[in-house]
Amino acid sequence: MDFGVVLQADPPSAAVVSLMRRAERNGFRYGWTFDSTVLWQEPFVLYSRILEHTERLIVGPMVTNPSTRAPEVTASTFATLNEMYGNRTVCGIGRGDSAMRVAGRPPNTLARLGEAIGVIRDLAEGRAADVGGHRIRIPWIKDGKLPVWMAAYGPKALAMTGQLADGFILQLADPFLTEWMIKAVRKAAADAGRDPDEITICVAAPAYVGDDIEHARDQCRWFGGMVGNHVADLVARYGEHSGMVPDELTDYIKARQGYDYSHHGRADNPDTTFVPDAIVDRFCLLGPVAAHLDKLQRLRALGVDQFALYAMHDAKESTLDAYGAEILPAFAD
């Protein structure tokens, strides 16, 4: 199993670079950041600096979207980083939550997202693609490589992931829901004539190593609120208890009142008090090292290829160090 770290692009940028270097020293292979151009600093500028100051780390957004960045611009940006640093990037992409809504726009349609996946990958790898009715190719790209991983929760998005994407990003670490969603992605891949085992499965969630469970929950409760934004969209689309989405995913948002994106992804988010302790425990990895090892082993048994650790709390360094010393070695096969 691979491991990644997910950070917000908060200033000072040097601190983000430093944490990414720390992650690499601890054995992490992937370095991810949020991508919301109003809320945080420009991640692709940071990627250049991170790649310059690391040797093996693979970097990318968790996740970008096809509207705040036009697909041809996204492809060229990734290809430039790859030419400079040797194909050490991955494109995480989704419909866009905070990036779109904070600018007053709804998330992208799945149709737009599906089209963008192919365009970005083809252009970034040197092939021609249709953009706005025109056939274009980036002529300077040689030997480019860009896997495109799609973030998804709902049945249509999971199906599209299986049909089109190189990887699946699931932003929660509940084993029951992980199993349900992986099965949906793999079935869609098989139905499309693809090899389901070729789709990389990445589970992303906060991890907090420590014995004070109450404090860890308070530091990671924001995540249930972030996931709740996507869940609310699913309930609006499919209804409650529709059978299209597991009730275990949707029931907890009944007390959700609203959401202010100015606090998005932050431990002190006041809009996440509706998230019960049970959801924090299910969606995140909390507690002593043994608890992390147990849950990660369960996720690996379900077919998870990478666990990406959200480090948006007050124990970033100690958690990265604990993973490097006691957790990654247990998965070094």
Side-chain angles (χ1 to χ4, degrees):
M1 180 186 280
D2 284 329
F3 287 84
V5 61
V6 189
L7 301 175
Q8 291 167 336
D10 277 328
S13 56
V16 178
V17 176
S18 178
L19 281 169
M20 290 294 189
R21 295 181 68 188
R22 191 182 196 117
E24 184 180 64
R25 290 196 300 272
N26 277 304
F28 287 76
R29 288 194 61 219
Y30 287 78
W32 304 89
T33 71
F34 281 19
D35 179 17
S36 291
T37 53
V38 174
L39 295 176
W40 295 289
Q41 291 183 319
E42 172 51 46
F44 285 92
V45 175
L46 281 173
Y47 297 154
S48 185
R49 189 72 170 169
I50 293 164
L51 290 166
E52 181 183 7
H53 288 276
T54 57
E55 296 179 1
R56 300 169 303 281
L57 204 68
I58 298 167
V59 303
M62 190 175 283
V63 294
T64 192
N65 72 86
S67 283
T68 58
R69 303 181 190 279
E72 65 270 27
V73 175
T74 299
S76 180
T77 304
F78 274 114
T80 302
L81 291 171
N82 284 336
E83 189 278 327
M84 293 170 70
Y85 300 105
N87 289 339
R88 289 168 54 200
T89 65
V90 57
C91 178
I93 194 167
R95 292 177 61 218
D97 176 40
S98 60
M100 296 295 289
R101 286 181 164 129
V102 78
R105 290 175 283 174
N108 293 272
T109 64
L110 283 176
R112 181 174 176 84
L113 174 57
E115 180 182 7
I117 288 173
V119 169
I120 291 169
R121 182 170 50 215
D122 283 343
L123 291 179
E125 294 186 348
R127 296 183 296 276
D130 290 322
V131 178
H134 299 279
R135 193 75 173 166
I136 64 172
R137 179 179 171 272
I138 303 176
W140 52 263
I141 295 177
K142 308 294 182 186
D143 302 318
K145 185 66 177 174
L146 182 67
V148 181
W149 297 4
M150 180 174 161
Y153 292 106
K156 292 182 180 179
L158 293 169
M160 179 175 286
T161 302
Q163 294 158 2
L164 301 178
D166 301 302
F168 167 41
I169 296 172
L170 174 57
Q171 292 166 306
L172 54 80
D174 176 70
F176 172 82
L177 293 171
T178 297
E179 182 177 19
W180 186 87
M181 294 185 186
I182 289 175
K183 284 181 178 178
V185 169
R186 286 180 168 164
K187 180 182 184 303
D191 290 347
R194 305 181 68 198
D195 182 353
D197 292 333
E198 291 186 357
I199 299 175
T200 302
I201 308 295
C202 175
V203 161
Y208 194 111
V209 178
D211 294 325
D212 188 342
I213 297 296
E214 291 299 324
H215 180 72
R217 285 176 180 147
D218 288 343
Q219 286 290 303
C220 298
R221 198 175 305 275
W222 64 267
F223 185 67
M226 184 188 82
V227 174
N229 297 328
H230 303 286
V231 173
D233 284 347
L234 295 176
V235 171
R237 176 179 294 271
Y238 298 107
E240 294 185 14
H241 310 297
S242 65
M244 299 294 291
V245 182
D247 295 343
E248 290 85 351
L249 178 63
T250 59
D251 280 350
Y252 85 96
I253 68 161
K254 290 177 180 177
R256 183 178 181 267
Q257 298 282 319
Y259 195 85
D260 181 352
Y261 278 89
S262 65
H263 305 289
H264 188 61
R266 303 197 182 280
D268 59 354
N269 190 331
D271 297 326
T272 60
T273 55
F274 73 93
V275 181
D277 288 351
I279 286 293
V280 182
D281 293 347
R282 282 173 49 197
F283 285 9
C284 305
L285 279 76
L286 312 174
V289 165
H292 292 248
L293 288 170
D294 177 67
K295 196 164 194 178
L296 288 166
Q297 287 162 354
R298 293 168 66 192
L299 292 171
R300 180 171 65 172
L302 295 174
V304 174
D305 300 300
Q306 179 185 155
F307 174 64
L309 181 163
Y310 279 100
M312 290 83 170
H313 49 59
D314 62 2
K316 298 178 182 69
E317 291 85 356
S318 61
T319 294
L320 289 175
D321 292 348
Y323 263 67
E326 301 183 72
I327 294 175
L328 269 66
F331 295 89
D333 55 353

